[in-house]
Every structure is written in structure tokens, then in C-alpha cells.
Amino acid sequence: MNATRVIIRKFGGQAKAILWSRSVQRIKVFVLGRSVSDGLLAKLILYLLLSIVAYLYVQPILYMISTALKPLSDLLDPTVKWIPRVVTWENFQTAVKGIKYPEALQNTAIIAISCSVVQVLICAMTGYALAKLAVPFKGLITALVILTFLIPPQIIIIPLYVIYSKLSLLNTLFVFLIPAIFGQGLKSALFILIFRQFFKSQPLSLEEAAKLDGASTARLFFGIMLPLARSACLVVFLFSFIWYWNMYYEPSWFLTDNFTPLSIRLDRLEDVLNPSLLGQRNTIDNPATESSKMAAAFLIILPPILVFMFLQRWFVTGIERTGIVE
């Protein structure tokens, strides 16, 4: 400060103008930044947009929890919005009994985990073959893989039902496991393309060095390439796990008895809570059971949320390394 005062006294108004210009420049750099993205204003806009997007995703979950904790009196009271006057856990107890949560959770976990593990292995092998091996008609096979991704499941659901019925596979795990083994599981085409893109990005020097050491194709894949694809395997496993966990259309056709996942149990919860109104689908908005249905929905999405929270860091890293964001 003393040096600044000496300069101002010596040079007068010209020094004041220079110092003022520098102060304005510092403020401008602080607010606007040296580039578009590093200024305070850009960060505030970015945080605002991210907060809006986060609210759009979190708001349904918050509404679900709030409704699940409300008694019937709070649901019928228009003055009660988010925070219930009386917090009750009875709705969760009703939901657990209504959907037979332990049994349905076990069924869903068996389907999701087993099919996801199989899809990771089979899709990785297929993607590696399309990326690195001299497969005949490789371009045609890749086009057919993409075509299977574009065909909606509603078109082939009836032939599949007839086939599984003749093979006595209905109401078993095999209706999902067999397609996954043959690379035709849920969204398998997308996973094959993810692995294909990943393996194509690996340098040829790794394969050449392994072949010089006498490694076979199987040893090259399982010993070198598959461990390098850990990030892609994690991404494929999580995507597959979530999609198998939430699927409804296929289980509604193939699983009709006791071996039903959580999605089917949730759809039938209204009939369980009101057996006298069985089959009357207009009762889906019945306020008397809305809290129990919200509690059941929250219990269904809770395990995937916990899995994602635990694996979030590796999942984001895997997304970047596999090139999906590109």
C-alpha cells in the first residue's frame, strides 16, 4: 500500500487510471474468466443447471419417500405437501407383506446377477472376435448385431413364448439365461458394440508380443485382453444389472407363477391389498393404497441405488475409458 501511494503521488492521475484499469481487469477475469468455462459467472450458471437437473431426478424419489411415510389422513389432507404431520412405517410393513419382498428380492437378484455376469463374458468374447479376430463376414455379423438392437421385443415375444412353452422353460431362470448365453440377452447388441469399440482401441503390439511368447487366442483373451477390459466389464455389468432389475415386459409373459420379480409383484400389489376389487384397474389411483405402493416402489429401487453409490467412481471411470461419452 505504501508503494502504491508513492506511485500515485509521483505520477498523479495517470497512475490512478492504470491502477483502476488493473483492478477492473482482475474483477473481469474473476467474474468472466480467461476462458468461457473458468469464470465465476460460468460456474454459477453451470451449478444452476446441474441443480435443476439433479432436482428433476431426485424430486420423484423425494416424493416417493414422503408419500410412503404419510398416513391416510395426511394423503387426504390437501394442506400436507411434502412433510407429513405424523410419520408412519406401517406402509413399508404392508408393502413388504404385499409383494413378499424377501422372496421377490431373491428372485430378482438371481435373474439380474446371473444374466449380467453371463452377458459380460459372452459380449466380451463376441466384441473381441469382431474387433481383433479374422472372422468371416465380420461386417455382416456386425450389421446383424445392430439390427437385433433395433428390433423391438414386442415383435418376437409370441414366437419366444411358444418356443419356451414347448421346451417347458416358462417360469424358470432359463428364459433369460439362454438368450444371454447366445449373445441375445437384454440389450446384448449394445454391450457387444461397447466391447468391440474398447478392444479396437487396444494396440496391436500387445497381441503380437503375446503371440511371440506362444500364447493361444484363448490365453490372449482371458489372460491379457479381458483383464484390461475391467472398466468396460463394470460398465456392461451395471447397465445389464439395472435393466434386468427393472424389466417388466418379458417377465409379464414368461414368469406368471411364484418365480416372479419385484416389478411383477408391484404391478399386482393393488390386487393383493384390495382382493375384493380384483381386476378393476381403475383402482390404481386408490388413495387408500397409494402410500403402500410408494413404499413398495422405494424398496424396489433401493438395492440398485445402493449398488450404484458403492460403484459410482469406477462406473464413471469406466464410462470415460470405454468411449461411450464420445
Side-chain angles (χ1 to χ4, degrees):
M1 291 297 296
N2 293 332
T4 303
R5 291 175 181 175
V6 170
I7 293 174
I8 292 174
R9 291 175 182 176
K10 186 174 181 180
F11 295 98
Q14 185 179 3
K16 290 183 180 180
I18 295 174
L19 294 174
W20 173 255
S21 176
R22 290 181 178 178
S23 300
V24 172
Q25 186 66 25
R26 291 194 191 98
I27 296 174
K28 182 179 179 181
V29 171
F30 177 74
V31 175
L32 300 179
R34 298 185 182 278
S35 62
V36 179
S37 59
D38 62 353
L40 177 62
L41 183 60
K43 292 180 180 178
L44 290 176
I45 295 175
L46 178 62
Y47 290 148
L48 178 62
L49 294 176
L50 291 177
S51 300
I52 294 174
V53 173
Y55 174 76
L56 293 177
Y57 281 96
V58 175
Q59 190 267 345
I61 299 178
L62 296 179
Y63 175 79
M64 187 184 304
I65 298 173
S66 174
T67 306
L69 296 175
K70 289 179 182 179
L72 182 58
S73 58
D74 286 351
L75 282 177
L76 299 177
D77 190 347
T79 62
V80 179
K81 297 297 183 181
W82 289 93
I83 302 176
R85 290 194 176 95
V86 179
V87 176
T88 177
W89 298 97
E90 183 179 356
N91 299 317
F92 285 94
Q93 298 174 1
T94 303
V96 169
K97 295 179 181 178
I99 63 176
K100 298 180 181 179
Y101 188 68
E103 177 185 345
L105 180 65
Q106 179 181 355
N107 296 340
T108 309
I110 290 174
I111 295 173
I113 295 176
S114 59
C115 293
S116 298
V117 171
V118 171
Q119 284 215 121
V120 169
L121 180 60
I122 299 301
C123 293
M125 295 172 63
T126 308
Y128 177 74
L130 294 178
K132 295 293 186 179
L133 301 183
V135 179
F137 307 105
K138 185 186 298 185
L140 177 61
I141 295 175
T142 304
L144 292 176
V145 168
I146 298 175
L147 182 62
T148 61
F149 180 70
L150 299 177
I151 297 176
Q154 290 81 1
I155 294 179
I156 60 175
I157 195 69
I158 294 179
L160 286 177
Y161 182 87
V162 173
I163 293 173
Y164 292 148
S165 178
K166 290 182 178 180
L167 296 176
S168 300
L169 296 177
L170 296 177
N171 301 306
T172 65
L173 175 64
F174 294 103
V175 295
F176 304 113
L177 198 58
I178 290 177
I181 292 175
F182 288 96
Q184 291 298 310
L186 196 62
K187 311 293 184 183
S188 286
L190 175 62
F191 303 145
I192 291 173
L193 295 177
I194 290 175
F195 279 114
R196 177 178 176 271
Q197 178 67 21
F198 178 83
F199 288 126
K200 285 187 67 175
S201 64
Q202 302 304 309
L204 292 174
S205 57
L206 290 174
E207 300 178 70
E208 294 172 353
K211 290 179 180 178
L212 288 175
D213 291 338
S216 62
T217 302
R219 185 179 179 183
L220 174 62
F221 174 73
F222 289 103
I224 299 177
M225 289 300 177
L226 192 59
L228 287 176
R230 287 193 299 266
S231 57
C233 290
L234 178 60
V235 171
V236 169
F237 177 81
L238 284 179
F239 274 125
S240 180
F241 178 82
I242 295 299
W243 280 327
Y244 272 108
W245 189 277
N246 294 327
M247 70 175 174
Y248 171 80
Y249 184 73
E250 291 84 356
S252 66
W253 278 80
F254 303 142
L255 307 178
T256 56
D257 292 339
N258 293 328
F259 189 69
T260 50
L262 289 166
S263 57
I264 303 299
R265 302 287 180 94
L266 178 62
D267 182 61
R268 300 173 182 174
L269 180 59
E270 181 67 37
D271 296 332
V272 174
L273 298 178
N274 289 315
S276 60
L277 301 176
L278 185 64
Q280 299 183 23
R281 305 309 296 172
N282 57 347
T283 61
I284 193 170
D285 295 327
N286 185 1
T289 59
E290 183 178 357
S291 294
S292 298
K293 289 184 288 187
M294 287 295 179
F298 179 74
L299 290 175
I300 291 174
I301 67 172
L302 182 60
I305 291 176
L306 295 177
V307 171
F308 178 77
M309 290 176 61
F310 179 72
L311 300 176
Q312 178 183 6
R313 184 179 64 179
W314 296 278
F315 178 71
V316 174
T317 303
I319 288 287
E320 295 175 350
R321 291 183 178 180
T322 51
I324 297 179
V325 294
E326 298 177 3

